[in-house]
Amino acid sequence: MARAATTSDVFNAIAERQRRQILVLLRAGERPVAELAHELGMTQPGASKHLRVLREVGLLKERKAGKQRLYRLDARGLRPVHEWTGGFEQLWNERFDRLDAYVQDLKHARREE
Amino acid sequence: MARAATTSDVFNAIAERQRRQILVLLRAGERPVAELAHELGMTQPGASKHLRVLREVGLLKERKAGKQRLYRLDARGLRPVHEWTGGFEQLWNERFDRLDAYVQDLKHARREE
DNA sequence: TTGACATATTCCGATATCGGCATATGATTG
DNA sequence: CAATCATATGCCGATATCGGAATATGTCAA
């Protein structure tokens, strides 16, 4: 066996810088492919591929408008990621404060020897 | 060119299921490698590799304890991910409510034709 | 020092990924 | 219909990934 699929998994979909940039751009509203490609300095096929991945994990919706296809953000899929990381919030606040305190204690103890 | 590096990027590090499971387990406190491997049903080398990736992106700290190496969570690196996804919070709440309303309107309009 | 234990590293094969390029599909206009 | 514009898809090469197996490294204990 080899690797986990990138599609059908939001965590993998947003692991790519350019895809994250696409999502950020689309926060301002729907846009056509060529515009996204241009603003992010990538080729049109490149943009289309990333858009496909994002669409397949449900983060994007597509809408036809004449020759263009307008992509729109559906941010709901990001919520699980937000919540998962949120499950560590206590730790990145509290626990390392405790560690700092512990380190401080060590320094004091050493100084007193 | 080919791909972005998995290491030196927290988004990529947590894109892997097993690595996420490791982080969850370590929320309860530091643990030796073999224990993690056993609880997650993976081989020892497999665990070591994932631990390495997590350590290299700064999510894990290592501590020697006799023959063992205890891995401890440093969740601070997850904060950027939490904040990045949090930047979409308005959207996954508000904007799709509006869309739903819009869709409802369409249905109504069609029914009245 | 030797042996046993815990972990890390290396090598391998299968596969997935990304970017580039060429081309196919689809829609609009004349 | 033909031409054009917008986008998607297919193929390719380079490389990264994951899992497995074997082996190396490191640490303790007798």
Side-chain angles (χ1 to χ4, degrees):
Chain A
M1 279 158 235
R3 312 190 62 179
T6 181
T7 179
S8 76
D9 181 349
V10 175
F11 280 91
N12 272 291
I14 66 169
E16 203 62 42
R17 245 178 200 273
Q18 314 224 52
R19 287 198 285 261
R20 263 174 279 152
Q21 294 177 335
I22 288 176
L23 295 179
V24 169
L25 271 186
L26 288 179
R27 219 162 26 184
E30 63 183 6
R31 296 209 186 171
V33 178
E35 206 174 305
L36 292 169
H38 180 258
E39 291 204 43
L40 296 177
M42 47 194 203
T43 67
Q44 175 269 311
S48 278
K49 285 173 196 169
H50 284 310
L51 290 168
R52 181 181 193 180
V53 173
L54 292 169
R55 178 167 30 100
E56 286 182 347
V57 300
L59 287 171
L60 257 44
K61 301 299 180 196
E62 190 193 24
R63 182 170 77 87
K64 291 180 194 169
K67 304 177 188 176
Q68 300 184 335
R69 301 204 189 174
L70 299 181
Y71 279 91
R72 181 170 47 87
L73 190 56
D74 180 353
R76 290 175 295 182
L78 292 176
R79 190 171 178 168
V81 179
H82 187 68
E83 286 173 352
W84 186 82
T85 51
F88 295 85
E89 198 165 6
Q90 302 281 346
L91 294 168
W92 73 59
N93 288 326
E94 292 179 20
R95 194 150 298 192
F96 265 83
D97 293 350
R98 281 189 221 141
L99 176 68
D100 289 343
Y102 176 68
V103 173
Q104 291 305 320
D105 286 351
L106 281 185
K107 285 180 182 168
H108 272 277
R110 197 172 297 165
R111 201 169 294 161
E112 287 166 359
E113 279 171 6
Chain B
M1 279 160 234
R3 309 188 65 179
T6 181
T7 179
S8 76
D9 180 349
V10 175
F11 280 90
N12 272 290
I14 66 169
E16 203 62 42
R17 246 178 199 273
Q18 315 224 49
R19 287 198 285 261
R20 264 175 279 153
Q21 294 177 335
I22 289 176
L23 295 179
V24 169
L25 270 184
L26 288 178
R27 219 161 27 183
E30 62 182 7
R31 295 209 186 171
V33 178
E35 207 174 303
L36 292 169
H38 180 258
E39 291 203 43
L40 296 178
M42 48 195 203
T43 67
Q44 175 268 312
S48 278
K49 286 174 198 167
H50 284 310
L51 290 168
R52 182 182 192 180
V53 173
L54 292 169
R55 177 167 31 100
E56 285 182 347
V57 300
L59 288 171
L60 258 42
K61 301 299 180 195
E62 191 194 23
R63 182 170 75 87
K64 290 179 193 168
K67 305 175 188 176
Q68 300 182 334
R69 300 204 190 174
L70 299 181
Y71 279 90
R72 181 170 48 87
L73 190 57
D74 180 353
R76 288 175 296 182
L78 292 177
R79 191 171 177 170
V81 179
H82 187 69
E83 286 173 353
W84 187 82
T85 51
F88 295 84
E89 198 165 7
Q90 303 281 345
L91 294 170
W92 73 59
N93 288 325
E94 292 178 22
R95 193 149 300 190
F96 263 83
D97 292 349
R98 280 188 223 143
L99 176 68
D100 287 344
Y102 176 67
V103 172
Q104 291 305 321
D105 287 350
L106 282 186
K107 286 179 183 169
H108 273 277
R110 197 172 299 164
R111 200 170 296 161
E112 288 166 358
E113 279 173 6

